[in-house]
Amino acid sequence: MSLKLPKLFYYLLGSILVLNLLQANFTELIFDEAYYWHYAKNLAWGYFDHPPMVALMIKIGSYFFDGELGVRFVSCLLSAGTFILLWLAIDNPDKKKFVPHFFALVFSMTLLNAYGFFTLPDTPLLFFTALFLLVYKRFIKKPSFVLGIVLGMIMAALMYSKYHAVLVIFFVLLSNLKLVVNKYAWLAVITALLCYSPHFLWLYEHDYISIKYHLFERPNAPYNFNKYTLGFLVNLVAIFGLTFPFVYYALAKSRAKDLFTKALLYLTYGVLIFFFISSFNRRVQTQWIIVVSIPMAILVFSYMLEHENVRKWLFRLALINIAIILILRVGLIYEPLFPIHYETHGNKAWMSQIQEKAGDNPVVFENSYRNAPMYAFYTGKTSYSLNNINYRQNQYSIDNSEEAVQHKKVLYISKYLDKKDIAFPKDSGSVYYGMFMDDFESFRKLRCIVEDEKFELNDERHVVKVYNPYDQDIALKKLKFAIAYLNEAKQFKELVGVDMVPENAQLMHLSSNDSTLFTFKLPKPKKTDAPKYFKIVISENGLRYGLNSKTIKLD
């Protein structure tokens, strides 16, 4: 494996890097990027939705640049690095004759192109997948102590990028089961576990909240073929655009001529089959399958080198793909060129309108982990997302953001306000409303913990432990309790008030940093037929009911 690259490779890679840096600088943030920027304000070993790699990238980039470019700078570098790693993983000596074809192939892959400047967890996932495969290729040729350590560190970096990385590691291992008796492979595993132990500790300290949410708490919907399975098949086309017939044809014709090619095929087919099966249970998001772009880029380009007709048509269609992508990329900045209103359009101006009304007062967005960080990014002012039963938990549920708005005069913004003092219409067509609250107070971190395992809609009373994590006692008169009933897909359907009886009849407060025992019985739902799950929820000071317990199954 030579690190010497053709001059044309440097010219094309440099051009793409400059293009991505310009795009990163002049394109407004998308909502997920703003959310991850919020992560980066307080570096930690984990976050509610993802491991910490994306936050670290933003933190590093922000040391070099302000604004959007600071958020995206490291992503641009990793994208360039991914192209280099893919090139190095291809052994065919004829590849130097077809540098333009290589760039046409990889740059025409829609999400691989987009993650060249957007900062999302998939960006480091793609980079470390390419690096993992390249080092694995050397490892299977000549295992060594050093390569075992390096491979383990890369595996940890993969897992620090996104939990989906476990599929990359698993399917590569599955392609070569002899690794289970390779001492250097075990060294790699032990190294990875040691490097990843800080995140394991973070998960333990936070009651495995990320794992529980992704596996058990996330709402779903009844199976719909068009939305789920057909949607998955459409995504298979979308990630490659017009080149998809020849890309999948090249994949189908590729054969496992050695352990490395076998690993590429197992990884590609493994991920595709895994998410195809998943599509019968839930909607598979396009970015979940983007990791197949890495092994497929190696497989397809290798096939192109040996088959002139496929190479010719792939190159032509890739150039058309790139032309369309470049027009759309300009449209990300200049809205009239984009076919729809996208989330890079108008947020900076909309947040400025809100800030004009809010002044220096904090802004509390109801149910929007998207708008709250976007406001903070573009105005530099304090914001918070207050999450209720109609929404979901997120990073604002577990960090210290709530403290910054307590007992302050705030501008409260929501789609659901009855009292509509101020209207904030968005270019997308939705309208948010705002009202000032002179002394805002919330207790969204109150937790309701039940130990019973069997719940039925009968007159049996159950014990609930209400934990107050705050450094202040909370008066019971400020709180209301209710049962939120959910359907089979864990979607919220109905709210019914419940009488919580304290173990101590004289109780007036929830003691600070302590648990208080109550008893309750499940009230009959008024509208929902045969609910399947419920949550115990709390309203404080007349705010909408929060998310205060796990999802509990009804028998």
Side-chain angles (χ1 to χ4, degrees):
M1 181 183 68
S2 173
L3 293 177
K4 186 177 180 181
L5 304 174
K7 286 186 178 180
L8 182 57
F9 189 99
Y10 284 115
Y11 294 147
L12 292 174
L13 183 67
S15 300
I16 290 173
L17 177 59
V18 170
L19 175 65
N20 285 339
L21 289 169
L22 291 171
Q23 185 87 49
N25 186 63
F26 291 107
T27 305
E28 290 187 20
L29 295 190
I30 61 175
F31 289 113
D32 280 354
E33 288 180 301
Y35 185 43
Y36 303 141
W37 171 82
H38 175 71
Y39 282 10
K41 289 166 63 177
N42 293 287
L43 284 184
W45 285 106
Y47 298 92
F48 183 89
D49 306 82
H50 294 291
M53 186 65 74
V54 68
L56 179 62
M57 290 166 54
I58 293 171
K59 193 72 171 182
I60 293 172
S62 297
Y63 284 126
F64 295 95
F65 299 100
D66 296 323
E68 292 91 347
L69 184 56
V71 172
R72 295 166 171 156
F73 178 63
V74 174
S75 288
C76 295
L77 299 182
L78 290 186
S79 174
T82 300
F83 288 174
I84 294 173
L85 294 169
L86 289 172
W87 178 262
L88 295 175
I90 299 163
D91 283 334
N92 194 315
D94 290 335
K95 68 181 182 180
K96 293 181 180 180
K97 302 175 185 177
F98 299 101
V99 173
H101 295 74
F102 171 80
F103 278 97
L105 174 67
V106 295
F107 198 62
S108 70
M109 295 181 180
T110 52
L111 290 187
L112 201 59
N113 188 305
Y115 294 147
F117 58 92
F118 282 139
T119 293
L120 300 165
D122 305 273
T123 306
L125 176 67
L126 292 169
F127 172 81
F128 287 112
T129 297
L131 182 59
F132 173 69
L133 290 173
L134 183 62
V135 173
Y136 173 73
K137 184 178 183 180
R138 295 195 62 185
F139 181 86
I140 54 181
K141 287 182 179 179
K142 191 176 182 181
S144 69
F145 180 86
V146 173
L147 283 178
I149 296 290
V150 172
L151 197 63
M153 294 174 65
I154 296 169
M155 288 160 64
L158 269 169
M159 290 301 299
Y160 273 122
S161 300
K162 197 172 183 180
Y163 293 123
H164 287 85
V166 71
L167 297 176
V168 177
I169 298 168
F170 173 75
F171 286 119
V172 170
L173 171 62
L174 191 63
S175 73
N176 185 8
L177 291 179
K178 289 183 178 180
L179 289 173
V180 298
V181 293
N182 185 311
K183 62 181 180 180
Y184 296 117
W186 279 107
L187 175 64
V189 171
I190 293 169
T191 302
L193 291 174
L194 287 173
C195 291
Y196 204 59
S197 58
H199 184 64
F200 285 135
L201 180 61
W202 182 91
L203 287 171
Y204 173 76
E205 291 174 343
H206 290 81
D207 196 29
Y208 303 99
I209 192 166
S210 302
I211 306 300
K212 287 181 178 179
Y213 173 73
H214 288 301
L215 294 183
F216 307 114
E217 296 285 323
R218 199 167 192 157
N220 201 357
Y223 176 71
N224 181 297
F225 174 79
N226 290 338
K227 184 178 180 181
Y228 288 10
T229 306
L230 182 60
F232 166 77
L233 298 175
V234 170
N235 287 339
L236 295 185
V237 175
I239 61 175
F240 297 113
L242 296 176
T243 62
F244 84 91
F246 292 96
V247 165
Y248 287 112
Y249 176 80
L251 173 64
K253 290 292 185 178
S254 297
R255 296 291 179 265
K257 57 187 177 182
D258 52 43
L259 280 175
F260 181 65
T261 309
K262 185 179 179 183
L264 299 177
L265 290 169
Y266 266 64
L267 175 54
T268 302
Y269 284 114
V271 170
L272 295 180
I273 293 170
F274 176 86
F275 284 115
F276 174 69
I277 295 171
S278 298
S279 75
F280 291 96
N281 176 258
R282 63 177 62 247
R283 185 174 69 88
V284 176
Q285 297 180 23
T286 312
Q287 66 269 23
W288 292 359
I289 57 175
I290 183 59
V291 73
V292 302
S293 297
I294 299 301
M296 287 185 72
I298 300 171
L299 290 168
V300 174
F301 185 64
S302 298
Y303 191 84
M304 287 171 63
L305 294 176
E306 298 173 358
H307 298 83
E308 182 179 356
N309 195 46
V310 171
R311 181 171 67 242
K312 177 177 66 176
W313 280 103
L314 260 171
F315 185 68
R316 291 172 179 173
L317 291 172
L319 292 180
I320 298 173
N321 253 10
I322 291 170
I324 295 171
I325 290 171
L326 290 177
I327 293 171
L328 293 176
R329 284 179 58 155
V330 175
L332 291 175
I333 305 170
Y334 183 62
E335 186 175 355
L337 288 179
F338 208 81
I340 58 173
H341 179 86
Y342 190 59
E343 54 190 274
T344 59
H345 302 138
N347 284 309
K348 186 175 182 179
W350 192 65
M351 297 305 169
S352 178
Q353 293 172 17
I354 294 174
Q355 201 267 322
E356 286 178 9
K357 296 292 185 182
D360 291 328
N361 297 304
V363 176
V364 175
F365 291 87
E366 185 175 33
N367 287 358
S368 188
Y369 71 88
R370 294 155 64 89
N371 286 324
M374 191 73 80
Y375 179 83
F377 180 83
Y378 280 117
T379 67
K381 304 296 182 180
T382 301
S383 64
Y384 174 62
S385 174
L386 186 80
N387 309 310
N388 66 39
I389 188 60
N390 296 97
Y391 202 47
R392 73 168 182 90
Q393 286 188 299
N394 50 60
Q395 183 61 24
Y396 287 94
S397 304
I398 64 173
D399 64 18
N400 61 1
S401 303
E402 187 182 42
E403 297 175 11
V405 298
Q406 295 300 295
H407 300 291
K408 302 281 182 67
K409 181 180 180 179
V410 305
L411 177 60
Y412 190 87
I413 294 180
S414 172
K415 287 183 177 181
Y416 316 108
L417 287 180
D418 295 325
K419 183 181 178 183
K420 302 173 180 178
D421 295 346
I422 313 169
F424 296 104
K426 296 191 74 172
D427 291 343
S428 61
S430 58
V431 180
Y432 288 74
Y433 299 96
M435 60 179 287
F436 283 99
M437 295 183 177
D438 290 329
D439 184 15
F440 180 81
E441 183 182 48
S442 64
F443 304 115
R444 289 291 134 132
K445 292 184 180 179
L446 289 175
R447 301 303 297 163
C448 298
I449 304 163
V450 295
E451 296 181 356
D452 289 356
E453 296 183 356
K454 187 174 182 180
F455 288 88
E456 297 179 359
L457 291 173
N458 54 31
D459 291 332
E460 181 181 353
R461 298 197 72 84
H462 300 275
V463 176
V464 60
K465 181 167 58 177
V466 180
Y467 176 64
N468 172 14
Y470 297 94
D471 294 328
Q472 65 182 84
D473 294 346
I474 299 174
L476 283 179
K477 66 181 181 181
K478 294 182 178 182
L479 307 178
K480 292 181 181 179
F481 292 85
I483 298 297
Y485 286 113
L486 288 67
N487 65 10
E488 191 173 17
K490 298 181 181 178
Q491 296 171 318
F492 167 63
K493 288 298 180 183
E494 183 182 359
L495 199 65
V496 183
V498 66
D499 182 24
M500 288 287 178
V501 179
E503 186 180 54
N504 177 1
Q506 307 302 316
L507 187 73
M508 300 295 291
H509 296 83
L510 297 179
S511 297
S512 167
N513 295 299
D514 200 1
S515 297
T516 305
L517 294 179
F518 293 80
T519 62
F520 73 101
K521 67 177 182 179
L522 289 172
K524 300 291 184 182
K526 300 176 182 178
K527 303 176 184 177
T528 311
D529 292 330
K532 298 297 182 182
Y533 300 91
F534 73 93
K535 288 178 180 285
I536 304 172
V537 295
I538 301 174
S539 165
E540 66 273 52
N541 300 308
L543 296 171
R544 284 174 177 79
Y545 286 88
L547 294 154
N548 305 98
S549 80
K550 67 179 182 180
T551 301
I552 305 164
K553 186 173 178 57
L554 277 168
D555 292 320

